[in-house]
Amino acid sequence: MHVFCDFDGTISIDDATDFILARLADPEWEIVERKWLDGKIGSGERMRRQIALIRAKQEELDELLDDVVLDPTFSDFVRFCRSRHIPISIVSDSVDYFIKRIFARHGLAGLHIIANKLSIETMEGLTKYTLSSPYADPSCLTASGVCKCRALTLERPRVYIGEGRSDFCAAHRPELVFAKGQLADYCFFQDIPFIAYRTFDDLTYSMQTALPALLQPQAKRNVAA
């Protein structure tokens, strides 16, 4: 078994990228956002253009990232999975640097993260932010910087947790989908079986009660190994 989980709006209470952009980016980021919402550009291009509009020193960025709030039940969910030797991968169309910084502050360093890669360069007092997308796929349904369906391994069963548009492509592949928000609506209209949730406490309960036959053998195999 392998758990794959979105970050923005799923693990974080609010969208961490929008939280940063609203406070540190040139107002042009909202024009880029509107183009994305209108379907004129893909999610990957949107992210790259918006991140380049951040106007702040790295220290200012770090300080603001420390204010991002996570679902308070996520840490317990991680402990639950680790106690049963269930690997967790964070699959996000957000920014690797953002996620790593936030996780480190919450004692969650070490989680496997698949996300857009941020480069930070400071020259003559100016800080430049450049985003690259090593996990992109031009044929991806959502034109995201991270094609989440490609990130899913062949290890089964696969559990996917998400809430937004960037999760649409991934929802077609896992054996079990937990969804809320836009992803729940998408799964409903696409006839994709899913379990609705609100917090990670709901997920822990569902996995404890609905998947005992899958979890127990997995734990035994890892302990024996």
Side-chain angles (χ1 to χ4, degrees):
M1 174 179 290
H2 197 131
V3 172
F4 298 88
C5 187
D6 175 50
F7 181 78
D8 282 324
T10 300
I11 298 172
S12 63
I13 298 298
D14 298 310
D15 188 301
T17 304
D18 286 352
F19 182 81
I20 294 299
L21 293 173
R23 292 159 178 80
L24 297 181
D26 185 290
E28 186 183 341
W29 80 269
E30 294 183 284
I31 298 175
V32 177
E33 185 79 3
R34 175 50 56 188
K35 289 182 178 180
W36 171 66
L37 291 171
D38 291 342
K40 296 179 180 178
I41 60 174
S43 176
E45 180 180 351
R46 161 214 178 201
M47 285 288 296
R48 290 188 290 273
R49 291 171 62 175
Q50 288 179 327
I51 293 300
L53 293 170
I54 293 177
R55 305 287 185 256
K57 295 180 179 179
Q58 186 173 349
E59 294 80 5
E60 296 174 290
L61 173 62
D62 289 346
E63 184 177 351
L64 197 57
L65 286 170
D66 289 343
D67 290 335
V68 174
V69 178
L70 301 185
D71 181 328
T73 65
F74 178 66
S75 293
D76 287 339
F77 178 74
V78 171
R79 282 191 286 271
F80 165 79
C81 290
R82 285 175 171 170
S83 72
R84 286 156 175 79
H85 308 278
I86 302 171
I88 304 174
S89 293
I90 309 305
V91 187
S92 173
D93 200 29
S94 184
V95 182
D96 62 346
Y97 182 88
F98 293 3
I99 299 172
K100 290 176 182 178
R101 173 79 187 191
I102 296 165
F103 276 172
R105 188 173 71 86
H106 288 84
L108 294 167
L111 286 172
H112 181 221
I113 297 170
I114 299 171
N116 295 293
K117 182 176 178 58
L118 181 67
S119 297
I120 304 174
E121 181 181 10
T122 300
M123 294 182 63
E124 299 180 353
L126 296 177
T127 304
K128 180 181 178 181
Y129 299 90
T130 305
L131 200 67
S132 59
S133 303
Y135 301 103
D137 184 341
S139 65
C140 180
L141 172 68
T142 57
S144 299
V146 173
C147 180
K148 296 184 176 183
C149 56
R150 286 186 60 192
L152 269 62
T153 66
L154 296 178
E155 182 180 4
R156 298 170 187 256
R158 296 162 297 183
V159 177
Y160 192 83
I161 306 165
E163 58 80 43
R165 290 169 61 176
S166 68
D167 302 307
F168 289 179
C169 68
H172 290 269
R173 298 198 176 190
E175 286 66 47
L176 178 61
V177 176
F178 289 101
K180 64 179 179 178
Q182 289 180 310
L183 180 60
D185 293 339
Y186 178 80
C187 289
F188 178 80
F189 287 110
Q190 294 292 321
D191 291 325
I192 299 172
F194 73 97
I195 298 175
Y197 75 97
R198 291 180 300 172
T199 72
F200 281 88
D201 270 350
D202 299 330
L203 300 176
T204 302
Y205 176 79
S206 293
M207 289 180 66
Q208 283 175 320
T209 58
L211 302 177
L214 294 173
L215 292 176
Q216 190 62 29
Q218 177 74 9
K220 286 182 178 179
R221 284 196 298 271
N222 280 277
V223 170

